[in-house]
Short mmCIF file of all heavy atoms in Angstrom, two decimals:
data_model
loop_
_atom_site.label_atom_id
_atom_site.label_comp_id
_atom_site.label_asym_id
_atom_site.label_seq_id
_atom_site.Cartn_x
_atom_site.Cartn_y
_atom_site.Cartn_z
N ILE A 1 25.41 -9.52 -1.84
CA ILE A 1 24.98 -8.33 -1.12
C ILE A 1 26.18 -7.48 -0.72
O ILE A 1 26.19 -6.25 -0.93
CB ILE A 1 24.14 -8.72 0.12
CG1 ILE A 1 22.77 -9.25 -0.33
CG2 ILE A 1 23.96 -7.53 1.06
CD1 ILE A 1 21.94 -9.84 0.79
N PHE A 2 27.22 -8.09 -0.13
CA PHE A 2 28.34 -7.25 0.32
C PHE A 2 29.23 -6.82 -0.85
O PHE A 2 29.75 -5.69 -0.87
CB PHE A 2 29.15 -7.92 1.44
CG PHE A 2 30.12 -8.99 1.02
CD1 PHE A 2 31.29 -8.71 0.32
CD2 PHE A 2 29.88 -10.32 1.38
CE1 PHE A 2 32.18 -9.70 -0.03
CE2 PHE A 2 30.78 -11.32 1.03
CZ PHE A 2 31.93 -11.02 0.32
N PHE A 3 29.41 -7.68 -1.86
CA PHE A 3 30.29 -7.33 -2.97
C PHE A 3 29.72 -6.19 -3.80
O PHE A 3 30.45 -5.30 -4.25
CB PHE A 3 30.54 -8.55 -3.85
CG PHE A 3 31.60 -8.34 -4.90
CD1 PHE A 3 32.94 -8.29 -4.55
CD2 PHE A 3 31.24 -8.16 -6.23
CE1 PHE A 3 33.92 -8.08 -5.53
CE2 PHE A 3 32.21 -7.94 -7.20
CZ PHE A 3 33.55 -7.90 -6.85
N LEU A 4 28.40 -6.19 -4.01
CA LEU A 4 27.75 -5.14 -4.80
C LEU A 4 27.24 -4.00 -3.93
O LEU A 4 26.60 -3.07 -4.42
CB LEU A 4 26.61 -5.73 -5.62
CG LEU A 4 27.01 -6.74 -6.68
CD1 LEU A 4 25.78 -7.29 -7.40
CD2 LEU A 4 27.98 -6.13 -7.69
N GLN A 5 27.51 -4.08 -2.62
CA GLN A 5 27.12 -3.03 -1.67
C GLN A 5 25.61 -2.75 -1.76
O GLN A 5 25.18 -1.60 -1.82
CB GLN A 5 27.93 -1.75 -1.90
CG GLN A 5 29.43 -1.97 -1.77
CD GLN A 5 30.22 -0.69 -1.92
OE1 GLN A 5 30.24 0.13 -1.02
NE2 GLN A 5 30.87 -0.54 -3.07
N LEU A 6 24.85 -3.83 -1.76
CA LEU A 6 23.40 -3.71 -1.82
C LEU A 6 22.85 -3.37 -0.44
O LEU A 6 23.46 -3.67 0.58
CB LEU A 6 22.77 -5.01 -2.33
CG LEU A 6 23.30 -5.51 -3.67
CD1 LEU A 6 22.62 -6.82 -4.04
CD2 LEU A 6 23.10 -4.47 -4.77
N ARG A 7 21.69 -2.74 -0.42
CA ARG A 7 21.03 -2.39 0.83
C ARG A 7 19.77 -3.23 0.99
O ARG A 7 18.96 -3.31 0.07
CB ARG A 7 20.68 -0.91 0.84
CG ARG A 7 21.90 0.02 0.91
CD ARG A 7 21.53 1.46 0.63
NE ARG A 7 21.13 1.64 -0.77
CZ ARG A 7 20.13 2.42 -1.18
NH1 ARG A 7 19.40 3.07 -0.29
NH2 ARG A 7 19.85 2.54 -2.46
N VAL A 8 19.61 -3.82 2.14
CA VAL A 8 18.40 -4.58 2.47
C VAL A 8 17.66 -3.80 3.56
O VAL A 8 18.18 -3.59 4.66
CB VAL A 8 18.74 -6.00 2.96
CG1 VAL A 8 17.46 -6.74 3.34
CG2 VAL A 8 19.50 -6.76 1.88
N ILE A 9 16.44 -3.36 3.25
CA ILE A 9 15.71 -2.44 4.12
C ILE A 9 14.35 -3.03 4.48
O ILE A 9 13.57 -3.39 3.60
CB ILE A 9 15.50 -1.08 3.41
CG1 ILE A 9 16.84 -0.50 2.95
CG2 ILE A 9 14.76 -0.10 4.33
CD1 ILE A 9 16.72 0.66 1.98
N GLY A 10 14.09 -3.15 5.75
CA GLY A 10 12.79 -3.59 6.20
C GLY A 10 11.80 -2.43 6.22
O GLY A 10 12.18 -1.26 6.37
N SER A 11 10.52 -2.77 6.05
CA SER A 11 9.49 -1.74 6.07
C SER A 11 8.21 -2.33 6.64
O SER A 11 7.79 -3.43 6.23
CB SER A 11 9.24 -1.21 4.65
OG SER A 11 8.40 -0.08 4.65
N THR A 12 7.61 -1.63 7.57
CA THR A 12 6.38 -2.10 8.22
C THR A 12 5.35 -0.99 8.26
O THR A 12 5.60 0.09 8.81
CB THR A 12 6.67 -2.57 9.66
OG1 THR A 12 7.57 -3.67 9.64
CG2 THR A 12 5.39 -2.99 10.35
N MET A 13 4.20 -1.25 7.63
CA MET A 13 3.07 -0.32 7.66
C MET A 13 3.50 1.11 7.35
O MET A 13 4.25 1.34 6.41
CB MET A 13 2.36 -0.42 9.02
CG MET A 13 1.55 -1.68 9.19
SD MET A 13 0.14 -1.77 8.06
CE MET A 13 -0.89 -0.44 8.69
N GLY A 14 3.04 2.08 8.14
CA GLY A 14 3.35 3.48 7.90
C GLY A 14 2.78 4.33 9.02
O GLY A 14 2.10 3.84 9.93
N THR A 15 3.04 5.62 8.95
CA THR A 15 2.61 6.56 9.98
C THR A 15 1.32 7.26 9.56
O THR A 15 0.93 7.24 8.39
CB THR A 15 3.68 7.62 10.24
OG1 THR A 15 3.82 8.43 9.05
CG2 THR A 15 5.03 6.98 10.56
N ARG A 16 0.70 7.93 10.54
CA ARG A 16 -0.48 8.72 10.22
C ARG A 16 -0.12 9.82 9.21
O ARG A 16 -0.89 10.11 8.29
CB ARG A 16 -1.07 9.35 11.48
CG ARG A 16 -2.34 10.17 11.19
CD ARG A 16 -2.70 11.12 12.34
NE ARG A 16 -3.90 11.89 12.03
CZ ARG A 16 -3.93 12.95 11.26
NH1 ARG A 16 -2.81 13.39 10.67
NH2 ARG A 16 -5.08 13.59 11.05
N ALA A 17 1.05 10.45 9.39
CA ALA A 17 1.47 11.51 8.48
C ALA A 17 1.65 10.96 7.05
O ALA A 17 1.29 11.63 6.07
CB ALA A 17 2.77 12.15 8.96
N GLU A 18 2.20 9.75 6.94
CA GLU A 18 2.35 9.14 5.61
C GLU A 18 0.99 8.80 5.00
O GLU A 18 0.80 8.95 3.79
CB GLU A 18 3.23 7.90 5.70
CG GLU A 18 4.70 8.22 5.94
CD GLU A 18 5.53 7.02 6.34
OE1 GLU A 18 4.96 6.04 6.89
OE2 GLU A 18 6.75 7.05 6.13
N LEU A 19 0.05 8.36 5.84
CA LEU A 19 -1.29 8.09 5.33
C LEU A 19 -1.93 9.37 4.81
O LEU A 19 -2.56 9.38 3.74
CB LEU A 19 -2.16 7.47 6.43
CG LEU A 19 -3.62 7.18 6.04
CD1 LEU A 19 -3.71 6.23 4.86
CD2 LEU A 19 -4.39 6.62 7.25
N ALA A 20 -1.76 10.47 5.54
CA ALA A 20 -2.29 11.75 5.09
C ALA A 20 -1.65 12.17 3.76
O ALA A 20 -2.33 12.67 2.86
CB ALA A 20 -2.07 12.82 6.15
N SER A 21 -0.34 11.95 3.62
CA SER A 21 0.35 12.28 2.37
C SER A 21 -0.14 11.41 1.22
O SER A 21 -0.31 11.88 0.09
CB SER A 21 1.86 12.13 2.54
OG SER A 21 2.37 13.06 3.48
N LEU A 22 -0.36 10.13 1.50
CA LEU A 22 -0.88 9.22 0.49
C LEU A 22 -2.26 9.68 0.02
O LEU A 22 -2.54 9.70 -1.20
CB LEU A 22 -0.96 7.80 1.07
CG LEU A 22 -1.74 6.76 0.27
CD1 LEU A 22 -1.10 6.54 -1.10
CD2 LEU A 22 -1.81 5.44 1.06
N VAL A 23 -3.12 10.04 0.95
CA VAL A 23 -4.46 10.52 0.59
C VAL A 23 -4.36 11.77 -0.28
O VAL A 23 -5.07 11.91 -1.29
CB VAL A 23 -5.29 10.79 1.86
CG1 VAL A 23 -6.58 11.53 1.52
CG2 VAL A 23 -5.61 9.49 2.59
N GLU A 24 -3.48 12.68 0.08
CA GLU A 24 -3.30 13.91 -0.70
C GLU A 24 -2.77 13.60 -2.10
O GLU A 24 -3.17 14.23 -3.08
CB GLU A 24 -2.35 14.86 0.03
CG GLU A 24 -2.95 15.45 1.31
CD GLU A 24 -1.95 16.32 2.05
OE1 GLU A 24 -0.83 16.54 1.51
OE2 GLU A 24 -2.28 16.78 3.16
N LEU A 25 -1.86 12.62 -2.20
CA LEU A 25 -1.32 12.22 -3.50
C LEU A 25 -2.43 11.73 -4.42
O LEU A 25 -2.51 12.12 -5.59
CB LEU A 25 -0.26 11.13 -3.32
CG LEU A 25 0.28 10.48 -4.59
CD1 LEU A 25 1.03 11.49 -5.45
CD2 LEU A 25 1.19 9.30 -4.25
N LEU A 26 -3.29 10.87 -3.90
CA LEU A 26 -4.38 10.34 -4.71
C LEU A 26 -5.38 11.44 -5.08
O LEU A 26 -5.90 11.47 -6.20
CB LEU A 26 -5.09 9.21 -3.96
CG LEU A 26 -4.54 7.79 -4.24
CD1 LEU A 26 -3.07 7.67 -3.89
CD2 LEU A 26 -5.35 6.75 -3.46
N ASP A 27 -5.63 12.33 -4.15
CA ASP A 27 -6.55 13.44 -4.42
C ASP A 27 -6.00 14.34 -5.51
O ASP A 27 -6.74 14.78 -6.41
CB ASP A 27 -6.77 14.23 -3.12
CG ASP A 27 -7.80 15.34 -3.28
OD1 ASP A 27 -8.80 15.14 -4.00
OD2 ASP A 27 -7.61 16.41 -2.67
N ALA A 28 -4.70 14.61 -5.48
CA ALA A 28 -4.09 15.54 -6.44
C ALA A 28 -3.90 14.94 -7.82
O ALA A 28 -4.02 15.63 -8.83
CB ALA A 28 -2.74 16.03 -5.89
N THR A 29 -3.59 13.63 -7.87
CA THR A 29 -3.24 13.01 -9.15
C THR A 29 -4.40 12.28 -9.82
O THR A 29 -4.31 11.96 -11.01
CB THR A 29 -2.09 11.99 -8.95
OG1 THR A 29 -2.54 10.94 -8.08
CG2 THR A 29 -0.87 12.69 -8.36
N GLY A 30 -5.44 11.98 -9.07
CA GLY A 30 -6.53 11.18 -9.63
C GLY A 30 -6.22 9.69 -9.65
O GLY A 30 -7.02 8.89 -10.14
N THR A 31 -5.06 9.31 -9.10
CA THR A 31 -4.73 7.89 -8.98
C THR A 31 -5.71 7.22 -8.03
O THR A 31 -6.08 7.80 -7.01
CB THR A 31 -3.30 7.73 -8.44
OG1 THR A 31 -2.40 8.42 -9.32
CG2 THR A 31 -2.90 6.27 -8.35
N ARG A 32 -6.13 6.01 -8.36
CA ARG A 32 -7.12 5.32 -7.54
C ARG A 32 -6.70 3.89 -7.23
O ARG A 32 -6.07 3.23 -8.07
CB ARG A 32 -8.48 5.31 -8.24
CG ARG A 32 -9.12 6.69 -8.38
CD ARG A 32 -9.48 7.26 -7.01
NE ARG A 32 -10.05 8.60 -7.08
CZ ARG A 32 -9.35 9.73 -6.96
NH1 ARG A 32 -8.04 9.67 -6.75
NH2 ARG A 32 -9.95 10.90 -7.02
N PRO A 33 -7.06 3.40 -6.04
CA PRO A 33 -6.78 2.01 -5.72
C PRO A 33 -7.49 1.06 -6.67
O PRO A 33 -8.59 1.36 -7.16
CB PRO A 33 -7.33 1.85 -4.29
CG PRO A 33 -7.42 3.24 -3.76
CD PRO A 33 -7.71 4.11 -4.94
N LEU A 34 -6.88 -0.07 -6.91
CA LEU A 34 -7.50 -1.10 -7.73
C LEU A 34 -8.35 -1.99 -6.83
O LEU A 34 -7.85 -2.59 -5.88
CB LEU A 34 -6.43 -1.94 -8.42
CG LEU A 34 -6.97 -3.04 -9.34
CD1 LEU A 34 -7.69 -2.44 -10.53
CD2 LEU A 34 -5.85 -3.95 -9.82
N VAL A 35 -9.64 -2.05 -7.12
CA VAL A 35 -10.58 -2.83 -6.33
C VAL A 35 -10.93 -4.10 -7.10
O VAL A 35 -11.41 -4.02 -8.24
CB VAL A 35 -11.85 -2.03 -6.02
CG1 VAL A 35 -12.86 -2.89 -5.27
CG2 VAL A 35 -11.49 -0.78 -5.19
N ASP A 36 -10.67 -5.26 -6.50
CA ASP A 36 -10.99 -6.52 -7.13
C ASP A 36 -12.50 -6.76 -7.13
O ASP A 36 -13.08 -7.14 -8.14
CB ASP A 36 -10.29 -7.67 -6.39
CG ASP A 36 -10.59 -9.03 -6.98
OD1 ASP A 36 -9.85 -9.46 -7.88
OD2 ASP A 36 -11.58 -9.67 -6.56
N ARG A 37 -13.13 -6.53 -5.97
CA ARG A 37 -14.59 -6.70 -5.86
C ARG A 37 -15.08 -5.98 -4.62
O ARG A 37 -14.34 -5.76 -3.66
CB ARG A 37 -14.96 -8.18 -5.80
CG ARG A 37 -14.54 -8.91 -4.55
CD ARG A 37 -14.63 -10.41 -4.69
NE ARG A 37 -13.53 -10.93 -5.49
CZ ARG A 37 -13.35 -12.21 -5.80
NH1 ARG A 37 -14.22 -13.11 -5.38
NH2 ARG A 37 -12.31 -12.62 -6.51
N VAL A 38 -16.35 -5.59 -4.67
CA VAL A 38 -17.03 -4.97 -3.53
C VAL A 38 -18.16 -5.88 -3.11
O VAL A 38 -19.00 -6.28 -3.93
CB VAL A 38 -17.57 -3.57 -3.89
CG1 VAL A 38 -18.32 -2.97 -2.70
CG2 VAL A 38 -16.44 -2.65 -4.33
N LEU A 39 -18.20 -6.23 -1.82
CA LEU A 39 -19.21 -7.12 -1.28
C LEU A 39 -19.86 -6.48 -0.07
O LEU A 39 -19.19 -5.74 0.68
CB LEU A 39 -18.58 -8.45 -0.84
CG LEU A 39 -17.87 -9.29 -1.89
CD1 LEU A 39 -17.06 -10.40 -1.21
CD2 LEU A 39 -18.88 -9.89 -2.86
N PRO A 40 -21.14 -6.75 0.17
CA PRO A 40 -21.71 -6.33 1.45
C PRO A 40 -21.03 -7.09 2.57
O PRO A 40 -20.63 -8.25 2.40
CB PRO A 40 -23.19 -6.71 1.32
CG PRO A 40 -23.23 -7.76 0.26
CD PRO A 40 -22.11 -7.45 -0.68
N MET A 41 -20.86 -6.44 3.71
CA MET A 41 -20.15 -7.07 4.81
C MET A 41 -20.82 -8.37 5.27
O MET A 41 -20.17 -9.26 5.80
CB MET A 41 -19.99 -6.09 5.97
CG MET A 41 -18.85 -6.42 6.92
SD MET A 41 -18.56 -5.16 8.18
CE MET A 41 -17.85 -3.84 7.20
N THR A 42 -22.10 -8.47 5.00
CA THR A 42 -22.81 -9.71 5.34
C THR A 42 -22.29 -10.90 4.54
O THR A 42 -22.47 -12.05 4.94
CB THR A 42 -24.31 -9.55 5.09
OG1 THR A 42 -24.52 -9.01 3.78
CG2 THR A 42 -24.94 -8.62 6.13
N ASP A 43 -21.63 -10.63 3.40
CA ASP A 43 -21.05 -11.69 2.56
C ASP A 43 -19.54 -11.79 2.76
O ASP A 43 -18.81 -12.21 1.86
CB ASP A 43 -21.36 -11.42 1.09
CG ASP A 43 -22.83 -11.53 0.76
OD1 ASP A 43 -23.58 -12.12 1.57
OD2 ASP A 43 -23.25 -11.02 -0.29
N ALA A 44 -19.07 -11.42 3.94
CA ALA A 44 -17.63 -11.40 4.20
C ALA A 44 -16.98 -12.76 3.97
O ALA A 44 -15.84 -12.83 3.49
CB ALA A 44 -17.36 -10.93 5.64
N ARG A 45 -17.68 -13.83 4.27
CA ARG A 45 -17.09 -15.16 4.10
C ARG A 45 -16.66 -15.39 2.65
O ARG A 45 -15.63 -16.03 2.39
CB ARG A 45 -18.08 -16.24 4.54
CG ARG A 45 -17.51 -17.65 4.53
CD ARG A 45 -18.49 -18.63 5.14
NE ARG A 45 -18.72 -18.34 6.55
CZ ARG A 45 -17.95 -18.80 7.53
NH1 ARG A 45 -16.91 -19.59 7.24
NH2 ARG A 45 -18.21 -18.50 8.78
N GLU A 46 -17.44 -14.89 1.70
CA GLU A 46 -17.09 -15.03 0.28
C GLU A 46 -15.76 -14.33 -0.02
O GLU A 46 -14.92 -14.86 -0.76
CB GLU A 46 -18.20 -14.43 -0.58
CG GLU A 46 -17.92 -14.48 -2.07
CD GLU A 46 -19.00 -13.79 -2.90
OE1 GLU A 46 -20.15 -13.69 -2.42
OE2 GLU A 46 -18.68 -13.36 -4.03
N GLY A 47 -15.56 -13.15 0.55
CA GLY A 47 -14.30 -12.43 0.34
C GLY A 47 -13.12 -13.14 0.96
O GLY A 47 -12.05 -13.24 0.36
#
């Protein structure tokens, strides 16, 4: 790490502004989240 001058950066969640930007990115590009499965909430235990 020190010899190659690498950077170690922590990251936790995000801000409301970043969430708004993410939503706009998906809206503009057509990129969509990958959904493994959709279940009714009554079947939450299965998920």
Side-chain angles (χ1 to χ4, degrees):
I1 289 172
F2 78 71
F3 188 74
L4 296 178
Q5 302 183 75
L6 305 179
R7 291 168 291 141
V8 178
I9 305 167
S11 189
T12 298
M13 287 294 292
T15 66
R16 182 197 179 280
E18 288 167 335
L19 178 59
S21 295
L22 168 62
V23 170
E24 291 177 5
L25 173 64
L26 269 58
D27 184 37
T29 62
T31 303
R32 293 294 178 266
L34 181 66
V35 176
D36 179 90
R37 68 194 76 181
V38 178
L39 300 168
M41 202 174 288
T42 50
D43 293 343
R45 186 173 296 275
E46 178 184 336

